[in-house]
Amino acid sequence: MKRVLVFILMAGLGFLLAWALSDDTSQQKAELESVKTELQQLKPEIEKTESQRNELKVKIAFEQRDRERLQEQFNELSHSRDQLQEHIEEFTFSREQSRQQLAEIIDTRDKFKQQVIALSGSRDTLQQQLTELADSHNQLIRQVDELTRSRNAAVAQAQAAQERIEILVAMQDSETLEFGDRQDELPVTNQKRKDEQPPMVEINYPAASTEVIRPAVAGSNLGKRPTCHSFNTTRPQILPGQTSFLSWQVSNARSIRIEPGIGPVSALGSVAVKPSTATAYTLIATNKAGESRITCRIEVGDSPTIQKQESKQPAVLTEVIKPPVISSQAGERPTCHSFNTSRPRIMPGQSSTLSWQVSNARSIRIEPGIGPVSSLGSMAVNPSTTTTYTLIAENKAGQSRLSCRVEINDGITIFSSDAIRP
């Protein structure tokens, strides 16, 4: 713009010179003065215009800087928008995956519900089978009682037959003596030697559920090996995952252990075991004189079976008042899982060990003569006569009972009697 003003000024001067040449000198001077005056008047405006132009340049520079800043902000916002768009797409994809997972979880839940229904049906079936097995067990007990009565009747018949045979033998001997010595008219009595052992009738009792390696002996003596009085299990046959209890009684032992997997134990006690497969537990008692062993086997199977094992100790079956159940719930009567004796038949002065397991009971007692007990335990008893012990468990729903009999017996022996010749 400065160049334009200079050009206008030069043009004006040229115009004035040309006009001055054509007009008078006075007019030229007057006009020259007027032109100078105008130039003087235009100079502030020119300076003002120059100042405004500089201000505009500064404003343009600020505007340019603001525009660049706004462009940077716009670029940042565009980048943030792109990131937000990516996050929205990721969240959308995650939401779809969550919906699919939720659908799969719902399907799995429905399958679990069906499995629970199926398991409930199986449980009811197993409960029914267990009830049927308990009924069969009671029938077997009744059959065993009948066989026992039949056995006792057979023993009585054998005793009568033995007495009759002895009478006949005595009569034959007397007749032989009468023919050999006719002069002797006095009756001759068949005298037997005092040290002669009378014939015995062997009675086989029902076998107990434990295999006894060494028979139990009452008392303990120095210089003799340990005595394993008993080693039994409350449940010889269990299902996978169920628990059975071992109980034992040992005397005259320096160290006692149970194998496999239990280790050192006391002389009298019980322990819960949960084998996954059929296991034969061995009670090992040692002292300076030697070692004694007794074995108890627990079978593990899908269904309970009744097994017969040989034992050197005579046994009597436990009288079961109510069949045991697997589990107990609120509102039901107590459950007497087991009530057994280590030695159902003992000699006078010997002891037997009672062991029991009860659940869902408020109070538990054993009659006669024992009183309140805990839900799991064992106790040594020494009855003087044959005794039936009753385990009584009570709660608000009612009462459950389980009985166990300990017999006192000197052994059944039939002696021959001396026959007097008529």
Side-chain angles (χ1 to χ4, degrees), residues 177 186-192 418-421:
L177 292 174
L186 295 175
V188 179
T189 305
N190 182 20
Q191 300 293 333
K192 295 187 178 181
D418 294 338
I420 301 176
R421 186 179 61 181

Side-chain angles (χ1 to χ4, degrees), residues 12-42:
L13 291 174
F15 177 74
L16 290 174
L17 289 174
W19 181 71
L21 291 174
S22 62
D23 293 334
D24 296 334
T25 305
S26 58
Q27 291 180 349
Q28 291 178 355
K29 289 182 180 180
E31 291 177 358
L32 183 61
E33 290 295 332
S34 63
V35 170
K36 289 181 178 180
T37 303
E38 291 177 359
L39 288 174
Q40 292 295 329
Q41 293 177 354
L42 290 172

Side-chain angles (χ1 to χ4, degrees), residues 30 50 64 84 87 108 201 210 270 285 329 332 334 355 399 401 406:
E50 185 72 20
Q64 184 69 25
L84 288 174
H87 289 315
T108 305
V201 176
T210 57
S270 63
Q329 299 176 357
E332 294 184 354
S355 60
Q399 185 183 92
R401 291 170 175 256
V406 179

Side-chain angles (χ1 to χ4, degrees), residues 131-304:
T131 303
E132 294 175 356
L133 288 173
D135 295 337
S136 300
H137 177 68
N138 293 332
Q139 291 179 0
L140 288 173
I141 290 176
R142 288 193 292 270
Q143 292 177 2
V144 169
D145 292 337
E146 293 177 358
L147 290 174
T148 303
R149 288 193 293 270
S150 300
R151 179 202 65 188
N152 295 333
V155 170
Q157 292 177 1
Q159 184 176 3
Q162 183 70 23
E163 292 176 354
R164 180 63 178 171
I165 289 171
E166 291 173 356
I167 293 173
L168 293 174
V169 170
M171 292 175 64
Q172 184 179 3
D173 292 340
S174 65
E175 290 177 358
T176 302
L177 292 174
E178 184 178 359
F179 282 107
D181 189 5
R182 294 181 179 272
Q183 295 179 357
D184 189 2
E185 294 180 356
L186 295 175
V188 179
T189 305
N190 182 20
Q191 300 293 333
K192 295 187 178 181
R193 291 180 301 174
K194 294 182 179 181
D195 57 347
E196 182 180 359
Q197 293 294 333
M200 300 177 64
V201 176
E202 182 180 1
I203 305 300
N204 294 324
Y205 295 95
S209 62
T210 57
E211 180 184 358
V212 180
I213 305 302
R214 190 174 299 281
V217 180
S220 60
N221 297 318
L222 296 176
K224 292 186 178 181
R225 290 187 298 178
T227 301
C228 299
H229 297 285
S230 64
F231 186 40
N232 298 299
T233 174
T234 58
R235 305 175 71 182
Q237 178 79 29
I238 62 174
L239 297 175
Q242 289 184 342
T243 301
S244 182
F245 288 85
L246 300 175
S247 59
W248 62 90
Q249 181 182 3
V250 179
S251 64
N252 195 30
R254 187 171 183 179
S255 65
I256 309 168
R257 68 183 189 276
I258 298 177
E259 296 180 353
I262 297 179
V265 294
S266 59
L268 174 65
S270 63
V271 66
V273 293
K274 191 176 181 182
S276 58
T277 58
T279 304
Y281 293 94
T282 302
L283 176 68
I284 304 172
T286 58
N287 61 12
K288 293 181 179 180
E291 179 180 273
S292 297
R293 292 171 175 256
I294 185 170
T295 300
C296 179
R297 184 175 179 84
I298 298 178
E299 299 289 341
V300 179
D302 295 334
S303 60

